[in-house]
Structure formats: structure tokens, C-alpha cells
């Protein structure tokens, strides 16, 4: 069966520090991968999606970036975090079906 | 553009009450429709789906029917439990398996014993 992992589960970082969040999927190949952000009390915002290795589409211009170095690995990065980057970051995947499956999320607090 | 609108929360109900959470979508084409649930501190879980008009999705006592005529996909449950307390997201998906999900803003449900 397919599983999706995200780490770390929680992270507290100072403003201006770098960020790297990782997402990996098991049990499937060539998935579409997604990064979402959920700010406190708000809905989901699609940040990036990828249909293959090295292929990244950005939905919202900001100081975040994404990379897909391997088929089942998706990384969200920032060179310098802002206070407004705080939130709950969710990775998701889909592969040829209508459903999108979500990881457990990373809670990021920028102080 | 395509969008999903769902009722504002929070919704507070007593245990065993009837639940309806309204959801409507923009009528450009024929999307697939979903309800996701998010329990506190967790990621989203697919609750149910419908891929064409008049389809009824159901799971864990929840139901939603794809109504093309009213462009709606309202979530219902006949008797809620405290364990149903969560945030519920309605979503649409255009473009088949390559399409991205468009989410509503979520509705927080609190069920009191």
C-alpha cells in the first residue's frame, strides 16, 4: 500500500533562517506531488506541484521554493523565513486516480 | 475561474443531531467532487467523493450527492458523534487525473456530548 511521510512534524525557526521540509511517498511510482500551506484559521493554499522529476509549477509567488530530486521525494525550501511563513504545511500525492492523499503535515512556527 | 464555496463555520451541534454542510462549485465543466476531513493536528483524509452528476458518495455515515442542476455537493450525516469534531473541506477537481484540487475554506464542526 502507499504511504506518505513528512518530516519534521514540528519546527520552530527564527526569522531569516533557512527552511527545508521533506516529503516522501512509498508504494507508487511517478506520482504528482503537491505542497499546500494552511495558515491558522484559514483554508488550504496550493504552493507548488510537480508532475515529474525536476518539474515544478509554482502557484503563488513568494520566498519559498520546491524541488523534486527523485521520483518520490518532494522538498520545500526557503533561504530566509518570514513571520508570514508560519503555518501547517501539507504534502500530497496523486497517481492516475481522482483522489489526492495527504501526509501528516509539518507545523512551522517562525519566531 | 473555478472555485468552491462552503458554508462558514464554526458549526456547533449536540451529539445525535443532524448535520448539513453546504458546498457549491462553479459550473464550468463537470468536475469530480470530494469531501476531506481534518482532525486536530493531522493531515487531510478523503472522506467521500463523486465523479459524475447524481453520484452519491458515502462513508462513515456521511453522504453527499453531486447535484449538477444546483452545482452543489452538500455533506450530510443523520446523527453526529463527538468523534466527528473536525474541519471539513469540500473540493473540486477539473481536468481528470492531471487536474489540481480546488478547496473550499473549510468548516469547523464541534459536536458536544
Amino acid at each position: 500500500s502507499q504511504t506518505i511521510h513528512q518530516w519534521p512534524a514540528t519546527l520552530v525557526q527564527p526569522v531569516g533562517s533557512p527552511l527545508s521540509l521533506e516529503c516522501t511517498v512509498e508504494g507508487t511510482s511517478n506520482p504528482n506531488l503537491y505542497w499546500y500551506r494552511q495558515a491558522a484559521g484559514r483554508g488550504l493554499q496550493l504552493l507548488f506541484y510537480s508532475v515529474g522529476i525536476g518539474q515544478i509549477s509554482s502557484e503563488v509567488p513568494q520566498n519559498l521554493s520546491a524541488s523534486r530530486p527523485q521520483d518520490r521525494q518532494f522538498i520545500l525550501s526557503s533561504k530566509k523565513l518570514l513571520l508570514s511563513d508560519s503555518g501547517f504545511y501539507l504534502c500530497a500525492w496523486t497517481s492516475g486516480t481522482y483522489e489526492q492523499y495527504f501526509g501528516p503535515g509539518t507545523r512551522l512556527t517562525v519566531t | 475561474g473555478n472555485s468552491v464555496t462552503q458554508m462558514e463555520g464554526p458549526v456547533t451541534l449536540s451529539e445525535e443531531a443532524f448535520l448539513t454542510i453546504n458546498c457549491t462549485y462553479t459550473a464550468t465543466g463537470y468536475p469530480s467532487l470530494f469531501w476531506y476531513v481534518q482532525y486536530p493536528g493531522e493531515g487531510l483524509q478523503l472522506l467521500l467523493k463523486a465523479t459524475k452528476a447524481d453520484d452519491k458518495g458515502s462513508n462513515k455515515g456521511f453522504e453527499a450527492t453531486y447535484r449538477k442542476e444546483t452545482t452543489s455537493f452538500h455533506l450530510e450525516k443523520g446523527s453526529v458523534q463527538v468523534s466527528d469534531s473536525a474541519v471539513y473541506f469540500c473540493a473540486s477537481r477539473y481536468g481528470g487525473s492531471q487536474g489540481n484540487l480546488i478547496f473550499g475554506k473549510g468548516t469547523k464542526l464541534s459536536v458536544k456530548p
Side-chain angles (χ1 to χ4, degrees):
Chain A
S1 64
Q2 301 90 354
T3 56
I4 180 169
H5 304 280
Q6 286 187 244
W7 63 89
T10 60
L11 191 59
V12 180
Q13 292 282 99
V15 169
S17 64
L19 173 72
S20 180
L21 303 181
E22 189 165 344
C23 169
T24 58
V25 181
E26 297 177 356
T28 187
S29 59
N30 196 31
N32 288 359
L33 295 172
Y34 305 82
W35 278 113
Y36 291 88
R37 177 169 60 200
Q38 188 177 24
R42 300 178 68 178
L44 288 160
Q45 179 184 36
L46 178 62
L47 301 176
F48 302 94
Y49 68 94
S50 170
V51 299
I53 295 174
Q55 301 178 63
I56 308 295
S57 297
S58 174
E59 290 293 304
V60 182
Q62 54 205 319
N63 70 318
L64 298 172
S65 62
S67 62
R68 185 169 177 175
Q70 300 179 45
D71 181 46
R72 291 169 289 176
Q73 184 184 31
F74 204 23
I75 297 172
L76 182 70
S77 304
S78 174
K79 293 181 178 178
K80 288 186 177 182
L81 283 168
L82 307 173
L83 283 174
S84 58
D85 291 325
S86 293
F88 193 47
Y89 288 81
L90 291 160
C91 182
W93 72 274
T94 185
S95 180
T97 66
Y98 292 102
E99 295 88 0
Q100 202 165 103
Y101 299 95
F102 285 80
T106 295
R107 174 77 58 192
L108 171 66
T109 303
V110 182
T111 60
Chain B
N2 301 320
S3 66
V4 171
T5 303
Q6 61 182 105
M7 63 187 289
E8 296 277 336
V11 174
T12 303
L13 296 173
S14 298
E15 206 164 23
E16 299 183 3
F18 184 84
L19 169 71
T20 299
I21 301 178
N22 292 338
C23 171
T24 57
Y25 63 93
T26 54
T28 54
Y30 301 98
S32 297
L33 300 172
F34 306 85
W35 276 101
Y36 281 83
V37 59
Q38 184 180 31
Y39 298 102
E42 299 183 9
L44 273 69
Q45 300 175 27
L46 178 64
L47 181 58
L48 53 85
K49 67 176 182 182
T51 57
K52 60 182 187 297
D54 300 325
D55 269 1
K56 177 186 283 188
S58 61
N59 186 26
K60 299 181 181 180
F62 291 90
E63 292 184 340
T65 301
Y66 190 141
R67 303 283 189 199
K68 188 175 68 173
E69 62 276 11
T70 55
T71 63
S72 65
F73 193 55
H74 304 324
L75 183 69
E76 297 181 335
K77 186 174 185 181
S79 177
V80 294
Q81 305 300 311
V82 172
S83 57
D84 294 326
S85 298
V87 180
Y88 292 82
F89 291 91
C90 185
S92 67
R93 184 175 189 177
Y94 294 80
S97 62
Q98 296 302 312
N100 293 333
L101 285 174
I102 299 169
F103 284 91
K105 292 186 177 181
T107 302
K108 184 175 181 179
L109 170 66
S110 295
V111 180
K112 306 299 183 184

